[in-house]
Amino acid sequence: MAEHESLEFGKADFVLLDNVSMEEFMANLKLRFEKGKIYTYIGEVVVSVNPYRAMNIYGRDTVEQYKGRELYERPPHLFAIADAAYKAMKRRNKDTCIVISGESGAGKTEASKYIMQYIAAITNPNQRAEVERVKNMLLKSNCVLEAFGNAKTNRNDNSSRFGKYMDINFDFKGDPIGGHISNYLLEKVQCCMFCLVHQLLRGAPDSLLRSLHIQKDPTVYNYIKVGGQIKSCINDGADFKAVADAMKVIGFTGDEIQTAYKILATILHLGNMTFGVDGDVTLIETPKLVSVIRELLSTKEENVEKALLYRTVATGRDVIEKQHTEQEASYGRDALAKAMYERLFCWIVGRINDIIEVKNYDARIHGKNTVIGVLDIYGFEIFQNNSFEQFCINYCNEKLQQLFIQLVLKQEQEEYQREGIPWKHIDYFNNQIIVDLVEQQHKGIISVLDEACMNVGKVTDEVFLQGLNGKLAKHAHYTSRKLSPTDKSLEFDRDFRIRHYAGDVVYSVVGFIDKNKDTLFQDFKRLLYNSANPVLKGMWPEGKLSITEVTKRPLTAATLFKNSMISLVENLASKEPYYVRCIKPNDVKSPLLFEQERCRHQVEYLGLLENVRVRRAGFAYRQTYPRFLQRYKMISEFTWPNHDLPSDKDAVKRLLQGCGFDHDVAYGKTKVFIRTPRTLFSLEEQRAEMVQRIVLFLQKVWRGTIARMRYRRMRAALVILQAYRRYKVKSYIREVNRRFKNVRSMKDYGRHVKWPTPPKVLRKFEEALRSIYNRWWAWTLIKGLTPEETLQVRAKVASLEALKGQRADLGLQRAWEGNYLVSNSPDTAASFTLVSSELQRKDKYMRVLFSCNVRKINRFHKAEDRAVLITDRHLYKMDPLKQYKPMKSTPLYNVTGVSVSPGKDQLVVFHTKDSRDLVVCLQGMVPANESRIGELVGTLLSHFKSEKRKLQVNITSPIQCSMNGRKCTVIVEPKINQSHPDFTKSRSGYILAVPGN
């Protein structure tokens, strides 16, 4: 039973109807269609109603829902049938087939495509390249065959005008390894209505159309005028590109694809070719087309004209050329067009088979090669005018219906007998009588038709009809106007009627003889064989025969088709069949309209109600005992979780007796049969209730199990983690000890030693260890320094802390002399030494911190050269031009801060408490590019720190200062022509011009 669908959508399986009647069947079918449920089961048969709209029920998520599930576990769907066929093939190693039937426009082709897509989606989880190639080929071949074999008709945008049976071969693992396509009776009458012709005209690029000498307007061509008026929602341009791409993927070469286009164009041009008569001579009235056809067929113009106007006939050893009448020329032209299209289509099928067929497969090595067959064949057709093609198509449907009856309805009754279940016999319509009417030897319609075609002399369609009337006069399913003179729906000497299983069909015998003979003049075959195009030449091998060569009479079209149908049915009968029965809800392609009578007629001739009756036969449901127990054993304490009864049959009896359903069931040899759907629904309700309780119990047990497993894993992980952590810690400490064991004796005290990578738990410990080592290393270096070196190191550290990252050159790599005025030339050094000694005696300072020549601004805003001497007590300004005569001193405690710029200049501003800042630029450096700013700042900071005083250091540009109580700004400006730094007055303060680069 299909689950997960409530009764608001109707019954998911027609077998579960309360009363089996046409009214209830139609009501359920209509309800499900209106609710958007287009699929319904009859046991294991899928009934599909064409929705005439795209439905989002074929995606990857849906594929996963049906993959590996039993038929009754999910709502009805094509995927369920496809999966059942695939499982039967894979599990039981059986060949299976899926037979899709229904009338034209019922959705058979779409159903076959979705089945192919599903099989491709569920196979090959490892995505091996070869299997992917085969799957892609099989899907792409669908696209190509539809383009060449499906036609746009007034009933259907994509009507199959040929029958297709595809075998998909699988290896022992269930992966597709190849396939084979068989085609049946391409309907050549509509050769220019096929989809690819429309795609070529409306979708091909202009350059291609020009090379083929054709126009985009379909109404220009006689063969396609009717089809040109058909409006379609299909995008011909996109479809043309898709078909071309698919042909390339399959393996068609560029020349082969171009040849296919040339043949289509030739057929269109042939349709526009007209003939006239000049006296006794037949002429071609459109000579330009002869030249075009000659170019497209790569042959000679005179040969084309000769083949169209003359027929070569051999009489013994003599060969004569017989000129066609206008009527014969037109017949030959049409026969050529149809034959070319048929050969093209058969060649395409053959090329696809060459590529996708299984090659080099040895069953002894690779295992058994199993098959899934998919049959998509034309549906039953009743048109206003029914001819030879409709006769063959409807005969095909009779054969398939007979197969359905034999394999489904007959097997159903036989199952009851096999299981030993008494039941009332159900009558069903056996259409073997109609099949015999068509194909019986000597008496059947095909035999009478072949006999008429073989008669010598002029044979007409009326003669064929007379033969039918003579041999089938007493047949209950055949009649004509001669046999029923009062039946005015039939024309004398033209019509006959067959009472098919799908309804009465009137056939017109006009054209039967010609279509059955399917003759094409040998001249055309020789013309095409002698083409310079090797692809075209290969399609017509019999063209190489000499005109005088005697050949066996070929089989007629009807006999060939009959033989292929018999072969097809035998092939299907050898496989395990699955069925999809397609129904067309209306004739206007509306997604909302459900025409009751239209659908009722299809339900009747498809034998669906008989199928339901036989499936029911007094019992709505049956299942094997093991499967039944597997689904319902949780209902009874005697069968849950496993029973100890002698057999599964006894267990099922105990289960149903306990539920009180023993009166509504019958027990077969291998299956249990349930009479009414109500019992099955009750079982499902009890099962659903018990499943919920079982799930809760299983969840409880499983959660406890998971918790215990998680605890044990966590505990084991913790023990391992602790042991591993101890190991990593010890290893790290041992490694650190090994690497730093002899650092005291190393020249750099281990500075070059690389630290080992610590485990995560010791990262903070490593930081502390590095800090300890760095302190030890610094202490080891410092303890060996002299007092003077210690002062210099402290000054450099102070400078680094204050200026690092803000000034480029701090002078850390050189020795800091501090008192640079002493190191000047001997003349000036002596004068400075004398003055500094006098100042030391007078001011009692202990040491000189820094001295240097500078450029400064005086109180009159003029720049002048001066020297600066900074001791541990004062900051002195001196005049170097007057033997360094002291000019003014500022107590060092009065200095509050120092400002420098971030550039390479030597600008320094000393900030004082009385707002009389000193603005200077250091100069006289040797070498000239040496920077002493870092030394000055570091020395002052170190001294202030030793006296526990704070000195504010600012790195900024421009620098703000106070001159004689007035606020001003000092800006540094590089100038290209500036030879040395100098100050100039500006509106806001001063500008220090320095040499530019």
Side-chain angles (χ1 to χ4, degrees), residues 569-639:
V569 168
E570 288 176 354
N571 187 6
L572 296 176
S574 68
K575 297 176 170 59
E576 185 173 321
Y578 293 84
Y579 291 92
V580 180
R581 313 294 261 171
C582 298
I583 291 178
K584 184 177 182 180
N586 57 74
D587 286 323
V588 293
K589 305 176 188 176
S590 168
L592 304 174
L593 182 61
F594 185 90
E595 293 180 355
Q596 192 83 10
E597 286 306 313
R598 189 81 176 77
C599 296
R600 182 190 185 105
H601 175 65
Q602 294 172 75
V603 169
E604 286 176 347
Y605 78 66
L606 286 172
L608 300 184
L609 205 58
E610 288 89 341
N611 193 6
V612 176
R613 288 192 178 118
V614 174
R615 279 290 294 186
R616 284 284 290 271
F619 297 96
Y621 175 81
R622 83 290 312 271
Q623 189 57 270
T624 59
Y625 293 120
R627 283 280 181 84
F628 186 87
L629 278 177
Q630 184 183 358
R631 185 163 184 80
Y632 298 112
K633 63 181 180 179
M634 69 285 298
I635 294 175
S636 172
E637 59 182 321
F638 299 105
T639 55

Side-chain angles (χ1 to χ4, degrees), residues 54 281 289 295 321 379 401 429 457 487 510 577 604 686 886 923 948:
V281 180
L289 291 180
E295 179 187 334
E321 290 183 353
Q401 179 66 8
F429 176 69
D487 190 346
V510 176
E604 286 176 347
Q686 293 182 50
Q923 63 180 16
K948 298 181 180 179

Side-chain angles (χ1 to χ4, degrees), residues 49 80 204 373 407 652 675 833 939:
V49 183
L407 296 183
V652 171
R675 190 177 305 278
T833 303
T939 302

Side-chain angles (χ1 to χ4, degrees), residues 785-800 811-818 820 847 934-935 938-939 942:
L785 299 177
T786 63
E788 289 76 12
E789 290 173 336
T790 302
L791 287 173
Q792 191 169 125
V793 167
R794 286 177 177 168
K796 287 185 177 182
V797 170
S799 176
L800 189 65
L812 299 176
Q813 304 303 320
R814 61 178 177 82
W816 286 359
E817 297 179 19
Y820 288 98
R847 66 189 181 93
E935 181 178 355
T939 302
S942 178

